[in-house]
Amino acid sequence: MASNLWSEDQFSCSVCLELLKDPVTIPCGHSYCMGCIKNCWDQTDHTGVYSCPQCRETFTPRPDLCRNTMLAEVVEKLKKTGLNPPPAQSYAGPGDVPCDFCTGRKFKAVKSCLTCLASYCETHVKPHYEGAAFKRHKLISAIGNLEQKHCAEHQKLLEGFCRTDQTCICWLCADKKHKSHDTVSAEAERTWKQKQLGETQTEIQQRIQKRLKEIEELKQAVESLKRSACIEIKESEKIFTELIRSIEKIHTEVIELIGDNEKDAVNQAEGRMKKLEQEIAELRRRNAELKQLSETEDHIHFLQNFQSLCAPPEAGDLPSVTVNTDISFGAVRKAVSELKDHIEEFCKGELVKITTTVNEVAVYSQQAPEPRNRAEFLKYSCQLTLDPNTAHEVLCLSEGNRKVTRRRETQRYRDHPERFERWAQVLCREGLSGTRCYWEIECSGGGASIGVTYKGISRKGVDRSCGLGYNDKSWSLLCSGSSYTAWHNNNGTTITAPRSPRIGVYLDFNAGMLSFYDVSDTMTLLHRFQTTFTEPLYPGFRLHSYDSSVTICQLN
């Protein structure tokens, strides 16, 4: 029974929400702690009107408070039953809206009244459900800053919205200050903006899904990159190990070569020295015999042996040689040193290429937006010059190798393997790769082809495969009469557009995009190639008729 009484809060103070202390009953019949009701009424002494915190019944003058002895005895008995106070989690914490009617430690509000501009906990909100005076009050889920829901000027509830001023208003504002404005109820505006909110949420969700997909793709790309890097490191280690072995083999061969040469030379020298020593011994023997003969006193003996002993000594089978007294392998050391320098220089050059290739490997590429007007295109302008070594013999270069004109007479060019032999074409010196580039061309006279090509385009053939756009190594825009034709790999696409005196060419190498524009403030797109470029591209031109010319424009 006591538990049931407690659950109905019949013996708790609706102000402090604890068991009644020195309970008093006021004229309307509700009971409070004597201290709690005194504090409430002390705050309204200046008005002279005193009300019940629960039913809001007012009393004038201030009622006298007397301790309710019977209620106090019941409360004491309840205390002895060991009933627990309200749970601690119902107290207001950080981020919660506190009850405006709790004294001391406040409980968490569950409802806010837009009429009273106050928030209530579960106990203090009950009069709004039970009292007839509160039936027209508007309760909402507990929120803070209730004063912002009322009009500061008229002290009325903000129930309307002015679309003209984009602000919340009360209905008095709608009749006065905002009378000629587009006003609707806050509920109607909420419905409208809720729809916009839904569209925004849908867009956000789509972006979230897109980003999640990008994350997943990035994860897969990273894993692929890691696997590829691991494989390439192992393969590179294998290649460098083989390279080191090759160098060590050369090292061994050079050492063995020097050693073998040394051994052969020493063996030859020792053999010759042995023969020389033998010859010296023989000559010394004869010399001793001659000395003995010269010292004999026997004339007959002297004369009898003179002929045989005094005969000139045989020259022997050893040819005369010139001995190199300054023997050295310094030339070998110089050759080995030069080999080292060549290898180091070669490795430096190859390392630059390898570094460039490695740096081009990326998990993702961030695509910048394409230029929209000529000013933005000009940010990517590049300087180009024509290469005389590639110019056909009927093409004349001028204006610092920025203009080419087709002549009837042959130009005096030296033979060069990169010169076009049959097609009146010329390429630029500059190879373009890994970046964005823009240049502009002015054509005059007859038709001309404007394009780009890999360096490996054929220069000596007579068939179409040498022409810009007629092979898989080049892309071009043929400008002829009042029409254009885009060419690649011998496939043409006709483009109907007015003839433009100036053509803009935009290359986004990494994006694989080559675009041709009719140059103006709006930059009209004539044609766009979309592909994957694998080598540096060289701008080039072909002139179709005599006295026609193409000029690379100065853009700065």
Side-chain angles (χ1 to χ4, degrees):
M1 180 66 177
S3 177
N4 188 42
L5 289 173
W6 175 262
S7 64
E8 295 177 2
D9 295 327
Q10 292 186 7
F11 299 100
S12 63
C13 175
S14 61
V15 175
C16 68
L17 300 181
E18 296 180 359
L19 285 177
L20 292 165
K21 303 180 185 70
D22 293 330
V24 295
T25 303
I26 62 176
C28 64
H30 292 111
S31 298
Y32 299 93
C33 299
M34 182 176 291
C36 291
I37 194 64
K38 282 183 65 177
N39 289 337
C40 286
W41 287 352
D42 287 346
Q43 295 175 14
T44 58
D45 269 342
H46 64 285
T47 64
V49 178
Y50 307 92
S51 62
C52 171
Q54 292 191 57
C55 67
R56 299 289 179 166
E57 185 177 343
T58 59
F59 315 104
T60 304
R62 177 171 177 167
D64 294 329
L65 298 176
C66 297
R67 188 171 186 268
N68 188 327
T69 305
M70 183 182 70
L71 190 56
E73 291 176 355
V74 173
V75 170
E76 287 300 319
K77 289 181 180 180
L78 288 174
K79 287 181 180 180
K80 292 178 181 180
T81 64
L83 294 173
N84 294 324
Q89 61 264 29
S90 63
Y91 288 112
D96 293 329
V97 178
C99 176
D100 292 323
F101 282 84
C102 290
T103 59
R105 188 177 180 187
K106 296 181 178 292
F107 282 87
K108 183 170 64 175
V110 294
K111 293 291 182 180
S112 295
C113 178
L114 296 180
T115 306
C116 302
L117 290 182
S119 297
Y120 303 91
C121 62
E122 291 182 357
T123 299
H124 288 136
V125 77
K126 285 183 178 180
H128 276 75
Y129 296 128
E130 300 169 357
F134 300 105
K135 286 185 177 180
R136 293 189 177 182
H137 288 205
K138 187 172 183 179
L139 290 176
I140 61 172
S141 297
I143 59 172
N145 301 321
L146 284 170
E147 64 277 1
Q148 295 181 2
K149 314 302 178 194
H150 267 228
C151 175
E153 182 178 353
H154 303 110
Q155 300 303 314
K156 295 291 184 180
L157 186 64
L158 296 175
E159 297 181 288
F161 185 81
C162 177
R163 288 177 171 171
T164 305
D165 295 336
Q166 290 294 301
T167 184
C168 295
I169 59 174
C170 71
W171 292 125
L172 282 178
C173 291
D175 290 337
K176 295 182 180 180
K177 189 189 301 184
H178 300 267
K179 187 174 183 179
S180 60
H181 293 181
D182 181 10
T183 58
V184 295
S185 68
E187 183 178 1
E189 186 65 14
R190 164 66 185 273
T191 302
W192 167 250
K193 291 194 171 177
Q194 186 75 34
K195 181 181 178 182
Q196 293 180 316
L197 182 65
E199 293 172 353
T200 302
Q201 286 179 305
T202 300
E203 182 180 350
I204 290 174
Q205 288 298 326
Q206 290 174 347
R207 291 184 62 182
I208 290 173
Q209 293 303 316
K210 181 180 179 182
R211 295 308 186 212
L212 288 173
K213 182 180 178 183
E214 289 178 0
I215 289 174
E216 187 60 33
E217 290 175 348
L218 280 171
K219 286 181 180 178
Q220 294 177 3
V222 168
E223 290 303 318
S224 175
L225 180 69
K226 288 180 178 179
R227 290 193 298 269
S228 177
C230 184
I231 293 171
E232 293 308 316
I233 288 173
K234 290 180 180 179
E235 291 298 319
S236 296
E237 287 177 348
K238 184 190 296 184
I239 293 171
F240 278 108
T241 299
E242 293 174 356
L243 178 61
I244 291 170
R245 286 176 182 169
S246 298
I247 293 175
E248 289 176 344
K249 183 179 178 182
I250 295 173
H251 174 218
T252 302
E253 290 176 353
V254 170
I255 298 301
E256 290 178 351
L257 180 64
I258 294 173
D260 292 343
N261 183 275
E262 175 195 15
K263 185 177 179 180
D264 291 343
V266 169
N267 288 338
Q268 290 178 12
E270 288 178 345
R272 187 172 185 83
M273 284 189 294
K274 185 176 180 180
K275 290 182 179 180
L276 289 172
E277 287 172 352
Q278 290 174 350
E279 184 177 342
I280 290 171
E282 178 64 23
L283 291 173
R284 283 176 177 173
R285 184 187 63 76
R286 286 194 63 187
N287 187 52
E289 290 179 350
L290 289 173
K291 181 179 179 183
Q292 185 180 2
L293 180 63
S294 67
E295 293 176 351
T296 184
E297 295 180 357
D298 188 344
H299 302 306
I300 298 302
H301 177 75
F302 178 88
L303 293 173
Q304 288 175 340
N305 292 281
F306 174 81
Q307 189 67 30
S308 60
L309 292 179
C310 288
E314 295 179 0
D317 59 353
L318 292 178
S320 178
V321 296
T322 300
V323 178
N324 182 9
T325 59
D326 188 20
I327 299 174
S328 171
F329 283 97
V332 177
R333 183 171 63 253
K334 180 180 178 183
V336 173
S337 178
E338 289 176 352
L339 173 63
K340 177 183 77 72
D341 293 341
H342 287 321
I343 291 175
E344 288 180 348
E345 191 66 27
F346 176 78
C347 288
K348 286 179 182 178
E350 292 303 307
L351 182 59
V352 172
K353 296 179 183 178
I354 293 171
T355 302
T356 302
T357 303
V358 171
N359 289 339
E360 288 176 352
V361 177
V363 174
Y364 69 93
S365 58
Q366 187 170 349
Q367 185 65 33
E370 185 176 350
R372 293 164 296 182
N373 52 55
R374 187 166 182 263
E376 292 184 2
F377 278 101
L378 290 176
K379 294 177 182 178
Y380 303 100
S381 62
C382 61
Q383 297 295 324
L384 299 176
T385 52
L386 300 170
D387 185 358
N389 291 330
T390 67
H392 186 271
E393 61 183 7
V394 299
L395 298 181
C396 175
L397 306 187
S398 60
E399 296 185 12
N401 289 340
R402 288 188 298 105
K403 182 177 181 179
V404 55
T405 305
R406 181 167 179 172
R407 300 297 189 192
R408 296 182 182 276
E409 62 274 12
T410 300
Q411 307 301 307
R412 294 182 179 180
Y413 291 126
R414 291 184 298 177
D415 290 338
H416 198 280
E418 295 185 358
R419 190 175 311 285
F420 287 99
E421 188 176 83
R422 298 290 182 180
W423 288 70
Q425 297 181 152
V426 62
L427 302 184
C428 290
R429 286 194 179 97
E430 295 77 14
L432 309 176
S433 65
T435 185
R436 293 180 166 203
C437 300
Y438 176 75
W439 60 99
E440 292 180 356
I441 304 300
E442 286 186 348
C443 302
S444 63
S449 292
I450 303 167
V452 296
T453 181
Y454 294 148
K455 196 169 186 178
I457 188 173
S458 178
R459 318 292 176 103
K460 307 305 179 183
V462 296
D463 58 5
R464 287 168 66 94
S465 64
C466 297
L468 288 172
Y470 297 137
N471 49 68
D472 60 358
K473 294 180 175 61
S474 61
W475 296 258
S476 71
L477 181 72
L478 190 158
C479 310
S480 177
S482 60
S483 66
Y484 300 95
T485 307
W487 286 94
H488 172 64
N489 203 17
N490 206 26
N491 292 319
T493 302
T494 302
I495 303 157
T496 303
R499 181 69 181 272
S500 173
R502 181 175 286 209
I503 301 296
V505 186
Y506 175 67
L507 170 67
D508 188 338
F509 188 92
N510 293 332
M513 185 167 61
L514 176 67
S515 305
F516 296 89
Y517 289 88
D518 174 359
V519 176
S520 63
D521 291 337
T522 55
M523 302 293 291
T524 304
L525 178 65
L526 298 174
H527 186 76
R528 174 177 293 140
F529 291 103
Q530 189 70 55
T531 184
T532 299
F533 298 122
T534 58
E535 302 175 29
L537 294 167
Y538 292 81
F541 312 98
R542 176 162 62 96
L543 279 69
H544 298 189
S545 58
Y546 293 110
D547 296 325
S548 60
S549 66
V550 168
T551 303
I552 303 172
C553 303
Q554 288 277 27
L555 299 180
N556 54 10

